[in-house]
Amino acid sequence: ALAPWLDEIHQGRPSEITVRQAVGLLREEGRFGEALQVVEDWQQARPESAEAAYTWAVLRLGAGEEPANLLDSLHTGRGYSPQAADALTAAIQALPAERDPAYQKMRLARVLASCDEWDAARRLLEQAVELEGASAEAWALLGEAIFQTGGDGWDAFERAQALNPTSAEIKVLLGLRYRQSGQPEIALGYLQEAARLQPYEGRWQVEIAETLADLGRISSALEHYTQAVAIAPRDAEIAKSLVAFAGNTSVGIQTVGIPAARNLILLDEQDPESQDLMGWLLMKLGDTTSAERFFHQALRLQSDYLPAHYH
C-alpha cells in the first residue's frame, strides 16, 4: 500500500490524500524520520494546510525541536485539530523555564499521548530517560508509549516499578497495560493499590470501574463510577464516563445517569456533548420528545456535532 504512494510523492505534486495516507503508514511502521521528511515537503508545498502544519509541529516536537518554535504552526493547525493544538500550545507556554530538559520532555510527552500522538511521545520519552535515567515516571510512560506503537514495553514498566514501587501513577499505567493485554484480574489489583495510595483521585475509581465492567461485574463497576463522581463532582470527563456507562449497559440510567448528565449541563451549558448525552439517556428511557429537544440544543450549539445528528 505504501509503495505507490511514496512513488507518487517522489514524482512530485502528490495529492493531499496521498501524502496523508503515506505519512500515516510511515508512522505506523515506526519510520518516524521518513514521515517527518514527507511532512516537511508537504508543509512547504501547501503552507496554508492546517493538517500539514499540525502534523509537522507534532513530529518536530517529537524530534526534539525547541517547543517555542512550533507555536505558529500549532496556531495554523487549529483549523485541523483545535483541541489537540490548543492543548499542546498551552503545555508549551506553561513549561517552567527553571526545570530540567528531561522534565519538560516528559511533560510534553504526556500531552502528546493524550492527543493520541504516541510515536512523537515515545521519541520525547526516549530522550527524557537518556537525560534523566532515574525518572520512574518517564520509564513508565515510555513503556506505555512503546506498547501503543506496537512494541512490548515490559522492560520499561519493570524499570519504572523498581525505581518507585509506591507510585500510584505507575501502578495505574501497569494496570492499564495488563487490561489492554487481556488480563483484567491482574490489572484490578494494581488499580486498587493506586486508589489506596491516592483515595482523593477520582480517575483511579473510573479505571477500576472500567476493569470491573470488563470482568462482567456491572453492579460493582457502577459503585466505583458513582464514587469517582463523589470524589470529583466538577470533573466533566468523569461524569461523562458515568453517563456513557449507564447508557451502554442500561444500568442506573434513572438513578445515576440522568443526575450525572444534568450536572454536566450545569457545569457547561455550552457543551454540545453534554446536551447530546442527556438526550441519549432520555431516548434510552423512551422519552423521545424530551430527548429530541436536547439533540436540537446540541446542534444549535454546534451544527456539525455528528453524534447529535446520528441520535
Side-chain angles (χ1 to χ4, degrees), residues 74-295:
L74 286 171
H75 179 72
T76 303
R78 289 194 80 258
Y80 168 67
S81 184
Q83 290 184 329
D86 286 348
L88 288 167
T89 297
I92 291 170
Q93 292 173 336
L95 285 176
E98 70 278 5
R99 293 301 295 265
D100 58 89
Y103 173 83
Q104 295 193 356
K105 289 179 184 296
M106 184 173 67
R107 189 163 174 171
L108 290 172
R110 275 183 169 281
V111 182
L112 285 167
S114 71
C115 299
D116 206 28
E117 303 289 357
W118 283 103
D119 57 343
R122 177 176 176 174
R123 294 283 294 241
L124 273 183
L125 290 164
E126 288 169 342
Q127 298 163 34
V129 296
E130 286 182 10
L131 293 168
E132 182 75 42
S135 171
E137 186 181 356
W139 278 106
L141 288 169
L142 176 58
E144 180 65 12
I146 292 171
F147 174 71
Q148 292 288 344
T149 52
D152 183 277
W154 281 117
D155 288 346
F157 278 120
E158 289 170 0
R159 184 156 185 175
Q161 192 170 33
L163 287 167
N164 190 352
T166 60
S167 167
E169 292 202 2
I170 291 173
K171 291 184 184 300
V172 168
L173 285 169
L174 276 165
L176 294 176
R177 177 67 174 87
Y178 275 110
R179 195 168 84 206
Q180 291 160 345
S181 61
Q183 302 177 78
E185 299 90 347
I186 299 175
L188 186 60
Y190 281 104
L191 296 170
Q192 288 171 334
E193 285 185 51
R196 282 193 292 270
L197 289 166
Q198 293 183 342
Y200 50 82
E201 181 54 75
R203 290 176 299 161
W204 306 163
Q205 298 298 329
V206 171
E207 299 297 347
I208 290 172
E210 291 180 355
T211 306
L212 287 166
D214 289 346
L215 290 165
R217 296 162 59 180
I218 301 301
S219 60
S220 296
L222 182 59
E223 290 175 11
H224 283 276
Y225 275 117
T226 54
Q227 190 174 341
V229 171
I231 292 170
R234 299 192 62 80
D235 189 314
E237 293 307 312
I238 288 177
K240 287 175 182 178
S241 68
L242 170 56
V243 172
F245 172 80
N248 286 326
T249 61
S250 297
V251 172
I253 293 179
Q254 189 75 59
T255 55
V256 295
I258 293 291
R262 186 178 298 116
N263 185 52
L264 273 173
I265 293 173
L266 292 174
L267 288 173
D268 184 1
E269 293 184 354
Q270 302 304 307
D271 177 24
E273 184 180 3
S274 299
Q275 301 285 344
D276 177 68
L277 285 170
M278 175 63 92
W280 178 55
L281 290 186
L282 290 167
M283 184 173 67
K284 288 271 187 177
L285 291 174
D287 186 357
T288 53
T289 301
S290 299
E292 191 173 4
R293 287 202 299 270
F294 283 98
F295 297 145

Side-chain angles (χ1 to χ4, degrees), residues 8-9 12-20 38-56 73 76-77:
E8 185 180 338
I9 289 168
R13 303 190 64 81
S15 69
E16 197 155 35
I17 293 174
T18 293
V19 176
R20 181 185 302 118
V38 172
V39 170
E40 288 182 339
D41 293 342
W42 181 16
Q43 191 191 34
Q44 290 176 10
R46 294 182 173 83
E48 76 288 350
S49 169
E51 183 178 359
Y54 169 79
T55 309
W56 180 84
S73 292
T76 303

Side-chain angles (χ1 to χ4, degrees), residues 49-73:
S49 169
E51 183 178 359
Y54 169 79
T55 309
W56 180 84
V58 165
L59 296 189
R60 289 301 304 169
L61 190 59
E65 178 76 43
E66 175 62 37
N69 296 341
L70 304 171
L71 290 173
D72 287 344
S73 292

